Amino acid sequence: MMKLPVLLKREVPSPEDTPPKSGSSPWKKRLLRKRVLIPAVACVVALSLGIHFFGGGQTALAADLTYTTAAVERRDITSEITGSGSLEAANSYSVTSLVDGTILADYFEEGDQVNEDTVLYDIDSSDMASSLEQSEISLSQAQRSYNNKLKDLADLTVTAPKAGQVVDIAVEAGDDVSAGQTVATIRDSDTMTLKVPFLADEAAGFYVGQSAQVTLDSTFEVLNGTVTEVSGVDQVLTGNVIVRDVTIQVSNPGGLSTSQTGSATVDGCASASGGSFSYLAERSVTAEVSGTVASIHVSEGDRLSQGGAILTLTSDNLEDELQSAAEALRNAELSLESRYDQLDNYTITSPISGTVIDKNYNAGENIETGQTLCSIYDLSYLTLTLNVDELDISNIQVGQQVLITAEAVEGRTYTGVVTKVSVAGTSSSGTTTYPVTIRIDETDGLLPGMNVDATITLDSAGGVLAIPSAALNRGNTVLVTADSPSAANGTLMEGIGGDSEQYYSVPVEVGVSDDSYIEIISGLQEGDTVAYIPTTSSGSFEMGSMMMIPGGGMGSVTISGGPGGGMGGGPGGF
């Protein structure tokens, strides 16, 4: 029988790189895959050539194919993902200068262990002194201006300076008032004073707080009072009488007014003449700021305690001035804060705890903004980032253990753990990969930058029934020899194997797989023999005529290195 000529040879993925078909367990994965797309033109040409050479003899071609057999046996199988990458420190930081200046002192050497916030350098900050002082002065000025505006705002409410009775309101609502203008008069009528002259010799013996008696001229009623002031100035009355004025304070029983008069006696000494009563406190209330009368809170005759509100003014200008003063104050605060922050930049501290990897500047040297002074690595643990193929990423989970080996450290295996599985993939040449971060705590002998190999075990099974991976066909079927016990559960594949051998297609349930073998959960048993077309090892694929295989669909395309290749287009075929 004429053989179909080889139509095309291409480099294709190795068995480890071929993804599993639906319904089968994953094959041993590689983190980065190669994918081969067979041009449709090649398939059409192959089909044409098959018809040209063989006409309708597809069954004869199937019978002429050579099968390899293998016994169903028990094996240990481990499914894993492998990859490689370079190690990185847990954290690293380049300490950069934020200011210009001369380094006054340095406090570490390369290789030292430093803690977070440890002082590394002191830089000359004398140029900042004047700027800082000026900012402090500006802040004080802005604070005073703001306080004054606050006081002016409070002064829009005019209050009573002393307790008393409102005897006059000089403005009305809506009036414009200027600063210093009288708006009301307050009088304390509960207490009256009487100023009368005493002979100078007698008055010289009086003192403040001394008791006195006041006699009203109209009714001759006597009121008790107290000396509140004794004048030190002598006056000469008619007849060359020398006197001094004495002020006496009495409580108003309710009928006293400034129109009444009276005389007084102190320590048995009578006043030289009488005098008129006065109110203890009567003052005009003036506005401290300009504004418009918005409301009046009292009426004439009302009594007020000290600080009681008389009226309220409004002033748009004052509110604008207060807002401007507040903004100026905040700007001054921010400016001072900025100066202090800049001052902090002259003392350079370690941002992390770790090991000083390099030291680029020493005391006495000048630096400029942006220059790297030193580098610090946190070597408390190391990390490794692997880029995992999109077909495998769903099998990776945080917490999975990872075996790490390094060529630089022979004979040593380290244990890592997956700490992060990123969902941000990167696509290239039709393949998407996702970064997976691995943490390694035991790092003796490992250093950042070393290349290492990583193995993540996905699943394993011991002592299970297994067959060669190439024996699994599409649809999870396997060909077994006629003498296999499980053939009784299969379908005879007519026209396959020729007169010398008959094969039966048996459905199976599969489990864990590795590079070469796949677990059979059900469908086969010990004593069975499977048949399959082995893959070539030339790194190419050969395309024969396309034929229809019962139970397997279109196939007899063999892709070298694929874990399939059996009749029916199993894994590795189409």
Side-chain angles (χ1 to χ4, degrees):
M1 179 177 293
M2 183 179 295
K3 296 289 185 178
L4 182 65
V6 176
L7 300 179
L8 179 63
K9 290 187 177 183
R10 293 187 55 177
E11 293 296 326
V12 297
S14 63
E16 293 83 357
D17 295 327
T18 306
K21 300 300 181 181
S22 61
S24 65
S25 293
W27 314 97
K28 181 176 180 181
K29 311 296 191 301
R30 292 294 183 189
L31 299 181
L32 295 178
R33 299 174 177 272
K34 298 180 181 176
R35 296 185 176 182
V36 176
L37 302 177
I38 299 180
V41 175
C43 294
V44 174
V45 172
L47 179 58
S48 300
L49 288 174
I51 295 173
H52 174 73
F53 283 105
F54 299 106
Q58 296 94 335
T59 304
L61 176 61
D64 191 49
L65 295 175
T66 301
Y67 288 83
T68 295
T69 60
V72 177
E73 58 183 352
R74 293 194 177 275
R75 305 181 63 91
D76 294 337
I77 300 176
T78 300
S79 176
E80 57 189 21
I81 289 179
T82 62
S84 60
S86 58
L87 297 174
E88 298 179 354
N91 194 7
S92 61
Y93 202 96
S94 294
V95 180
T96 303
S97 172
L98 299 178
V99 295
D100 301 338
T102 301
I103 298 176
L104 298 179
D106 61 72
Y107 303 100
F108 69 99
E109 296 297 334
E110 188 173 303
D112 285 355
Q113 297 285 331
V114 296
N115 294 322
E116 184 178 356
D117 295 329
T118 297
V119 176
L120 303 176
Y121 292 100
D122 278 330
I123 301 174
D124 185 8
S125 60
S126 56
D127 291 342
M128 281 292 298
S130 58
S131 297
L132 187 61
E133 183 179 0
Q134 182 59 50
S135 295
E136 290 174 342
I137 293 173
S138 297
L139 178 60
S140 297
Q141 293 173 339
Q143 185 67 62
R144 285 195 299 272
S145 176
Y146 179 70
N147 291 343
N148 288 337
K149 294 303 178 183
L150 281 179
K151 181 180 180 301
D152 290 344
L153 186 65
D155 287 340
L156 288 175
T157 300
V158 181
T159 60
K162 294 287 186 179
Q165 186 179 28
V166 178
V167 295
D168 180 55
I169 298 177
V171 295
E172 296 180 353
D175 289 352
D176 291 330
V177 175
S178 301
Q181 179 178 337
T182 298
V183 296
T185 302
I186 297 292
R187 174 187 299 163
D188 181 5
S189 59
D190 290 338
T191 305
M192 309 292 288
T193 60
L194 177 67
K195 180 185 290 186
V196 290
F198 279 84
L199 295 176
D201 292 342
E202 294 174 348
F206 298 166
Y207 56 89
V208 173
Q210 191 172 6
S211 297
Q213 289 76 40
V214 174
T215 301
L216 302 181
D217 290 342
S218 59
T219 62
F220 300 104
E221 181 181 358
V222 177
L223 303 175
N224 293 322
T226 303
V227 176
T228 58
E229 182 182 355
V230 178
S231 175
V233 178
D234 293 340
Q235 299 180 44
V236 179
L237 299 180
T238 303
N240 292 324
V241 178
I242 302 174
V243 298
R244 293 183 180 179
D245 286 336
V246 176
T247 302
I248 300 171
Q249 180 176 305
V250 297
S251 296
N252 188 349
L256 291 179
S257 66
T258 55
S259 62
Q260 291 179 310
T261 60
S263 59
T265 301
V266 177
D267 195 23
C269 300
S271 58
S273 63
S276 298
F277 285 96
S278 300
Y279 295 108
L280 174 64
E282 180 177 295
R283 65 174 61 187
S284 297
V285 181
T286 59
E288 298 292 334
V289 295
S290 299
T292 301
V293 178
S295 59
I296 300 175
H297 306 297
V298 295
S299 301
E300 292 181 357
D302 290 348
R303 299 187 65 81
L304 286 176
S305 58
Q306 184 175 354
I310 298 174
L311 55 85
T312 299
L313 305 175
T314 59
S315 174
D316 292 339
N317 291 337
L318 183 56
E319 292 176 358
D320 291 341
E321 291 171 1
L322 178 63
Q323 181 64 31
S324 296
E327 292 170 354
L329 176 60
R330 183 54 183 159
N331 285 335
E333 290 174 343
L334 293 175
S335 178
L336 183 59
E337 290 174 5
S338 177
R339 289 289 187 269
Y340 277 119
D341 289 342
Q342 293 177 26
L343 185 63
D344 290 340
N345 293 333
Y346 286 84
T347 299
I348 298 178
T349 59
S350 174
I352 60 174
S353 297
T355 303
V356 179
I357 301 302
D358 54 42
K359 179 181 181 181
N360 301 323
Y361 288 89
N362 298 300
E365 295 183 301
N366 293 323
I367 59 171
E368 296 179 355
T369 300
Q371 291 179 329
T372 299
L373 305 178
C374 64
S375 298
I376 300 173
Y377 281 7
D378 176 6
L379 300 177
S380 58
Y381 63 90
L382 297 176
T383 63
L384 170 67
T385 300
L386 300 180
N387 293 316
V388 178
D389 188 271
E390 59 187 305
L391 299 178
D392 302 324
I393 194 64
S394 61
N395 296 315
I396 307 299
Q397 297 179 353
V398 172
Q400 284 178 320
Q401 285 196 340
V402 185
L403 297 181
I404 308 292
T405 58
E407 292 184 2
V409 187
E410 296 183 358
R412 179 84 181 267
T413 299
Y414 300 88
T415 301
V417 63
V418 175
T419 58
K420 180 180 180 182
V421 180
S422 177
V423 297
T426 301
S427 298
S428 177
S429 302
T431 300
T432 301
T433 60
Y434 296 84
V436 173
T437 303
I438 298 169
R439 171 171 170 159
I440 307 165
D441 288 314
E442 297 181 7
T443 62
D444 185 26
L446 298 179
L447 293 173
M450 282 187 177
N451 294 315
V452 297
D453 295 320
T455 301
I456 303 176
T457 299
L458 302 180
D459 201 357
S460 63
V464 296
L465 289 178
I467 62 172
S469 298
L472 182 67
N473 299 316
R474 174 173 295 186
N476 281 5
T477 62
V478 176
L479 292 181
V480 299
T481 59
D483 59 353
S484 297
S486 297
N489 302 321
T491 301
L492 176 62
M493 305 300 290
E494 296 181 359
I496 297 178
D499 297 333
S500 60
E501 184 65 83
Q502 288 182 321
Y503 299 118
Y504 290 79
S505 177
V506 179
V508 296
E509 181 182 357
V510 298
V512 180
S513 65
D514 61 12
D515 245 352
S516 305
Y517 290 88
I518 186 167
E519 176 190 4
I520 299 299
I521 297 176
S522 64
L524 298 179
Q525 55 187 298
E526 290 186 88
D528 288 341
T529 302
V530 297
Y532 62 97
I533 299 176
T535 58
T536 64
S537 58
S538 62
S540 65
F541 69 83
E542 298 178 357
M543 181 176 291
S545 63
M546 307 298 289
M547 70 183 92
M548 298 304 297
I549 303 299
M554 186 181 297
S556 85
V557 176
T558 301
I559 299 181
S560 68
M567 298 304 296
F574 289 154

